[in-house]
Amino acid sequence: MDHMNYSSLKISHNHPPKPKVTYYNHTKEQIISFLPFHKPKKCVPIRSSIEKNSSYDTKSSPSLFTNIIDRPLHPSVDPKHVFTGNFAPVDELGPTECPVVDGRLPDSLTGTYIRNGPNPQHMPRGPLHFFEGDGMLHSVQLSKGRAIYTNRHVKTYKYKLERDAGCQIFPNMLSGIYGIADIIQCVAAVARVLMGHINLKKGFGLANTSLAFFSSKLLALGESDLPYIINSTREGDVETVGRWDFDEALFASMTAHPKTDMTTKETFAFKFSPVFSPHLTFFRFDANGIKQKDVPILSINRPTFIHDFAITKRFAIFSETQLAVSAANVMLGKGMPTVFVPEKIPRIGIILKYATSDAEMKWFNVPGFNAMHVFNAWENGDDEIVLMATTATSIENLFHKIDMVHFSLEKVRINLRTGHVFRNILSTRNLELGSINSSYIGKKNRYVFMGVGKEIPKMEGVPLFVPRNEDHLEAADEDDGFVVTYIHDEIHEESKFLLPRRVPYGLHGLFVHKDNH
């Protein structure tokens, strides 16, 4: 439908359209470049009035005093610009039945679809990037032909403190510091910590990115904090149980994309430290949900933006990009802490899943490969790793002008013995936020279900594949199931599926089967 900004596409990498290949030989230091492809034109904003609402105006000339005290904000962090249209936050709504007037709900789809995403509790005067809104869960419970919708904030420590205060307390560090007003807010937050009004050991994250289910726990995740345990009730409501404090360290955190080995029932994860070494720490949970010993990755000597990773039968795979984190950017009032390092060569690191140190970790330079989301990886014999991921061109615009970033789906083959790396573009369409049949994690698979974005920020979330059979391992075919997501009609300002309210654009989701409630 032409008025949609988002649709779903099933990609089979066994039959890709006219692949484009890059070959990199680590022995001879020789690069064969990609064949060129046409980068899509910058998308035109649907609502031209949005620009008028922004305090960032390149035509105006604010006074020196205004620039020092309260500098104009770039549109990417101006809440008056970011959180408009279907990005605008919504209030909570309790369980509400959704009438089905066209067709019927599949009998085999019994459980709850929950999607996470940013939804600010308070709109600040200062900067606020889309990625820093408080987490909100939008849930649809499906059972016996009925659908019940609800949406609730994740009741994080940050959310509860700011709810009680009636205003923002924590500074938005990803959004950055731009003027004295932002500095004053940071000083006030430090004062609250010193006076004991804020306990940093309770975390300050947003739990706004994704969900996962392992160790018999449904978790809301955000990579700046530990997970929050969520309860999906039989009545269709969503409750926050509390923070899962498996790590008592200060500034403890965990990736928003843990990977569960469906064979061993172990879950693998990592945490990222933007300031202190080690900047990357790998760890796992056993089948009973007990966290095992940390494995510091000391071969990363500069904090690099790593959002996702992959596992195979024997290995864990990490992808380093050209985005680095600079605390000095924030301290000097230069805006966001992320910086683009053009001279840096992206690389892929491979380590044994059960390694006790990174002594045997191998790194492979892969020029131009800036991976965002990693959908799967597997071993092809003893010597080759195959990786499926999206890579971003113009990654320097990821946080400020994401509509200028183009995401392509790639298959990367790495020969562990020779060091050769082959890159194969499976599709040059603008693809992001995808899923696979989760029973194939770490194993060879054929299908990836992906979002096709005309304008990448305007995506309802991951098109989530849900197997028809609750027992994934007994499914007849890899793609035997359903693709679930929310869809918003921008022309008529409504969501499909006869939901009782608009569902804002968001991020990752999960389907929880009835027996796991």
Side-chain angles (χ1 to χ4, degrees):
M1 301 173 67
D2 291 338
H3 65 265
M4 305 291 285
N5 281 290
Y6 174 83
S7 59
S8 178
L9 178 70
K10 182 172 76 172
I11 299 290
S12 171
H13 60 78
N14 287 356
H15 304 285
K18 296 182 180 180
K20 303 175 182 180
V21 179
T22 294
Y23 167 64
Y24 186 68
N25 186 323
H26 289 263
T27 305
K28 298 181 180 180
E29 296 292 326
Q30 179 183 4
I31 304 175
I32 301 175
S33 301
F34 280 109
L35 296 175
F37 63 87
H38 297 291
K39 184 178 177 181
K41 295 180 180 179
K42 181 178 179 180
C43 297
V44 179
I46 288 180
R47 298 178 182 273
S48 59
S49 61
I50 287 177
E51 294 292 338
K52 298 177 183 178
N53 293 332
S54 174
S55 63
Y56 181 83
D57 185 357
T58 56
K59 296 181 181 180
S60 64
S61 301
S63 67
L64 177 62
F65 178 79
T66 301
N67 269 330
I68 295 174
I69 300 298
D70 195 5
R71 286 174 57 189
L73 298 174
H74 187 277
S76 63
V77 293
D78 183 350
K80 295 178 183 178
H81 175 91
V82 175
F83 293 96
T84 57
N86 199 42
F87 290 101
V90 295
D91 295 329
E92 291 188 340
L93 180 67
T96 304
E97 186 148 0
C98 307
V100 179
V101 296
D102 185 17
R104 67 182 185 88
L105 296 172
D107 294 333
S108 57
L109 197 61
T110 301
T112 304
Y113 170 61
I114 311 176
R115 199 219 62 199
N116 205 342
N119 192 91
Q121 178 183 192
H122 300 293
M123 203 62 71
R125 174 182 173 84
L128 182 62
H129 193 277
F130 173 67
F131 293 154
E132 285 200 293
D134 297 286
M136 175 169 275
L137 305 177
H138 296 266
S139 165
V140 175
Q141 185 183 93
L142 305 173
S143 178
K144 298 179 180 179
R146 298 176 61 208
I148 298 175
Y149 169 84
T150 190
N151 65 295
R152 302 289 190 186
H153 272 110
V154 183
K155 305 304 190 296
T156 63
Y157 177 64
K158 172 187 180 295
Y159 174 90
K160 290 191 287 188
L161 284 181
E162 294 183 339
R163 177 196 60 193
D164 296 342
C167 63
Q168 178 189 356
I169 292 176
F170 290 81
N172 300 312
M173 300 309 294
L174 175 63
S175 302
I177 293 177
Y178 296 84
I180 290 180
D182 301 329
I183 295 174
I184 291 172
Q185 185 184 51
C186 289
V187 171
V190 171
R192 289 187 178 98
V193 172
L194 296 176
M195 291 186 294
H197 297 163
I198 294 178
N199 183 355
L200 292 181
K201 281 199 170 183
K202 293 186 178 181
F204 49 87
L206 304 158
N208 68 357
T209 306
S210 67
L211 296 113
F213 187 89
F214 66 92
S215 305
S216 300
K217 298 178 180 68
L218 174 60
L219 304 169
L221 301 153
E223 55 202 20
S224 62
D225 200 353
L226 295 178
Y228 276 79
I229 302 171
I230 302 299
N231 178 38
S232 177
T233 71
R234 295 189 180 278
E235 294 75 28
D237 210 343
V238 176
E239 303 170 339
T240 303
V241 177
R243 190 171 181 250
W244 188 16
D245 295 316
F246 58 77
D247 189 340
E248 298 297 331
L250 188 64
F251 306 122
S253 63
M254 189 180 92
T255 175
H257 296 295
K259 310 295 182 185
T260 298
D261 187 320
M262 300 300 288
T263 301
T264 66
K265 306 302 180 186
E266 296 169 297
T267 297
F268 298 81
F270 67 92
K271 60 183 176 181
F272 170 72
S273 172
V275 180
F276 305 107
S277 182
H279 298 299
L280 183 71
T281 301
F282 177 51
F283 57 91
R284 65 185 172 92
F285 301 86
D286 66 19
N288 297 315
I290 306 301
K291 181 179 177 290
Q292 305 301 296
K293 185 179 178 181
D294 285 345
V295 181
I297 308 299
L298 301 174
S299 48
I300 293 180
N301 53 26
R302 180 174 183 175
T304 304
F305 180 72
I306 299 177
H307 179 64
D308 202 355
F309 79 124
I311 60 170
T312 67
K313 183 178 180 180
R314 294 180 295 162
F315 300 104
I317 300 104
F318 297 90
S319 181
E320 239 189 348
T321 70
Q322 290 175 284
L323 284 182
V325 179
S326 172
N329 249 33
V330 177
M331 302 304 294
L332 296 175
K334 293 183 178 180
M336 300 183 74
T338 53
V339 293
F340 176 64
V341 186
E343 67 274 12
K344 178 178 174 57
I345 299 177
R347 57 180 186 163
I348 293 175
I350 300 176
I351 187 172
L352 289 169
K353 280 173 23 178
Y354 302 104
T356 56
S357 75
D358 72 339
E360 296 184 10
M361 189 165 192
K362 294 183 178 180
W363 288 97
F364 302 85
N365 288 342
V366 191
F369 184 69
N370 286 295
M372 289 292 97
H373 288 105
V374 182
F375 302 110
N376 201 19
W378 62 86
E379 298 167 30
N380 187 15
D382 293 334
D383 296 330
E384 187 176 71
I385 299 290
V386 180
L387 183 73
M388 301 284 295
T390 51
T391 181
T393 57
S394 301
I395 194 173
E396 64 272 19
N397 295 310
L398 182 65
F399 291 100
H400 282 304
K401 299 178 181 178
I402 194 171
D403 55 312
M404 297 182 67
V405 181
H406 185 78
F407 297 90
S408 300
L409 179 64
E410 288 199 21
K411 178 194 283 187
V412 181
R413 294 186 292 127
I414 305 167
N415 191 299
L416 300 177
R417 180 174 51 83
T418 65
H420 295 171
V421 178
F422 298 87
R423 293 172 60 190
N424 183 1
I425 296 183
L426 300 183
S427 176
T428 57
R429 298 182 71 177
N430 208 13
L431 303 175
E432 246 295 6
L433 296 178
S435 66
I436 66 169
N437 186 328
S438 60
S439 63
Y440 285 80
I441 291 177
K443 305 172 185 177
K444 184 177 181 179
N445 73 302
R446 180 176 180 179
Y447 299 111
V448 183
F449 301 85
M450 304 197 66
V452 183
K454 292 183 180 178
E455 191 173 347
I456 284 296
K458 295 185 176 181
M459 301 181 78
E460 297 289 352
V462 171
L464 181 70
F465 177 79
V466 182
R468 184 182 304 276
N469 193 324
E470 182 177 344
D471 186 351
H472 298 197
L473 301 179
E474 293 183 4
D477 298 299
E478 179 186 339
D479 61 342
D480 182 18
F482 308 92
V483 175
V484 184
T485 192
Y486 294 112
I487 296 177
H488 179 73
D489 182 340
E490 288 205 337
I491 291 180
H492 299 97
E493 297 186 349
E494 63 183 16
S495 292
K496 304 296 183 181
F497 195 79
L498 293 178
L499 296 176
R501 69 126 41 96
R502 174 179 62 83
V503 177
Y505 297 124
L507 300 172
H508 302 271
L510 188 72
F511 192 86
V512 184
H513 289 280
K514 181 179 179 181
D515 292 343
N516 292 328
H517 280 203

